[in-house]
Amino acid sequence: MTVEKFKGIIPAFYASYDEAGDVSEARTKALCSYLYDKGVQGLYVGGSSGECIYQNLEERKATLKYVAESMKGKLVLIAHVGAPSTRESVELAKYAEDLGYDALSAIPPIYFKLPESSIYKYWTSIMDATALPFIIYNIPQTTGYNLSLNLFGKLIENKKVIGVKNSSMPALDIERFKAAGGENFIVFNGPDEQYVAGRLIGADAGIGGTYAAMPELYLKAEQYVSTGNFSKARSIQRDINDLIIALCSLNGNMYSAIKEVLKLRGVNVGSVREPLEPVTGDDLETKIPVIRDMIDAAIAKYDN
């Protein structure tokens, strides 16, 4: 199959809650519309940004359903179905296929330190459960496992494996996965702090947790990279990194900070689920508006 449709800026979708902290259909669909109007190419649903490890299966299914109802046929939809057990992951995979998602993705198993044979069986079980293409998700800083080239080589023998979302920090990993995967294999840059570097060393596209906070900047960064304007690409990456550092400097979780910024940008997706902490006090009242203003100033800076 062609992987062209998976290229571009694909925000990792945020968990969208009502005031009681339950998954909200209205707010989920409002975020979909907001990102669609910004011009992104797809959505990555149910991953870290979706707070998947703090939601039960029915809540995860609800988000998958609401996004599909809103954006099927409009944006490329990738369902992250990684879960504590293979059984749950397979159930989510089948559900996503029934909803019409374009591809599946999953982190490796978490908590227990498993041998690569177990990780291989886990990912293969998900792949075998549906006819959908599969995107490996490598994020060693949270899972404790860094995808080896040996296991990667075994996985890509399966034609369902069309790509890898690589969130390890060394840009070298992106280059090595691209070299091994080949031209018709898509590598997604994961670390937002190095989007431009990742693209230049071999990534074909990007999936990121801060994209939806400032989609305009990532879309512009992609424009600069794809047209060879590397001076502007480096400049906008510096501004993006200043914003990421600011979002991570507050007294609550980064996703809480992003959600508060989004409220000021016109879309309310609630707060975060405990044990993630919300931004409070002076950080909420004074610093969040400053970050919003920083985003708006950066957008204006490159709006040409």
Side-chain angles (χ1 to χ4, degrees):
M1 68 169 294
T2 178
V3 297
E4 287 299 314
K5 72 177 184 179
F6 293 99
K7 293 184 178 181
I9 297 299
I10 301 179
F13 198 79
Y14 303 136
S16 301
Y17 301 120
D18 61 21
E19 296 307 311
D22 297 318
V23 172
S24 166
E25 177 178 358
R27 290 180 174 181
T28 298
K29 291 182 176 181
L31 181 57
C32 285
S33 297
Y34 175 80
L35 293 171
Y36 177 76
D37 290 343
K38 293 297 182 183
V40 303
Q41 284 70 54
L43 298 173
Y44 187 88
V45 186
S48 307
S49 304
E51 303 171 37
C52 64
I53 62 170
Y54 300 135
Q55 294 184 351
N56 61 40
L57 276 181
E58 294 312 308
E59 290 175 313
R60 294 183 66 179
K61 286 181 177 180
T63 298
L64 289 171
K65 177 176 181 286
Y66 300 150
V67 173
E69 288 176 347
S70 182
M71 289 293 126
K72 181 182 174 183
K74 296 180 179 179
L75 295 176
V76 168
L77 300 181
I78 303 170
H80 173 265
V81 298
S85 72
T86 302
R87 177 178 291 188
E88 292 172 311
S89 298
V90 165
E91 184 175 340
L92 284 171
K94 291 178 177 179
Y95 187 72
E97 182 181 40
D98 290 342
L99 291 172
Y101 274 73
D102 296 287
L104 303 174
S105 183
I107 57 172
I110 57 174
Y111 188 75
F112 288 111
K113 186 174 182 179
L114 300 174
E116 286 197 332
S117 58
S118 297
I119 298 170
Y120 175 80
K121 289 176 182 176
Y122 170 76
W123 273 326
T124 300
S125 294
I126 296 171
M127 287 185 260
D128 289 345
T130 80
L132 293 177
F134 185 78
I135 297 162
I136 306 162
Y137 187 1
N138 185 45
I139 183 167
Q141 57 268 44
T142 60
T143 64
Y145 171 74
N146 193 16
L147 178 63
S148 71
L149 282 172
N150 180 59
L151 180 55
F152 179 76
K154 288 180 62 179
L155 288 164
I156 62 176
E157 290 176 3
N158 188 322
K159 298 304 180 184
K160 288 182 179 177
V161 180
I162 62 164
V164 59
K165 178 185 185 299
N166 187 69
S167 294
S168 64
M169 290 308 296
L172 173 64
D173 292 347
I174 287 173
E175 188 275 332
R176 290 290 82 193
F177 290 141
K178 184 62 181 178
E183 285 306 308
N184 200 37
F185 182 87
I186 190 161
V187 177
F188 297 91
N189 181 82
D192 297 359
E193 303 88 338
Q194 63 176 46
Y195 178 77
V196 169
R199 284 285 282 113
L200 292 178
I201 205 167
D204 304 283
I207 298 171
T210 65
Y211 290 12
M214 41 186 154
E216 301 93 339
L217 296 181
Y218 286 99
L219 288 163
K220 187 64 72 168
E222 173 57 27
Q223 176 186 323
Y224 291 144
V225 171
S226 61
T227 58
N229 192 340
F230 301 134
S231 176
K232 282 288 188 69
R234 288 192 297 271
S235 176
I236 200 169
Q237 183 71 71
R238 284 193 296 270
D239 288 339
I240 286 170
N241 288 353
D242 286 343
L243 287 161
I244 292 172
I245 290 168
L247 288 166
C248 293
S249 69
L250 307 185
N251 59 23
N253 178 265
M254 183 191 76
Y255 291 120
S256 172
I258 287 173
K259 290 180 178 185
E260 295 300 336
V261 168
L262 278 174
K263 288 177 187 176
L264 298 184
R265 300 201 76 205
V267 56
N268 184 355
V269 294
S271 187
V272 289
R273 177 165 290 180
E274 293 181 340
L276 301 179
E277 292 188 52
V279 177
T280 58
D282 183 63
D283 281 4
L284 177 61
E285 298 300 323
T286 64
K287 294 182 181 179
I288 290 293
V290 168
I291 295 172
R292 185 273 315 273
D293 291 345
M294 288 172 63
I295 292 173
D296 289 346
I299 292 169
K301 179 178 176 181
Y302 300 102
D303 189 17
N304 53 52

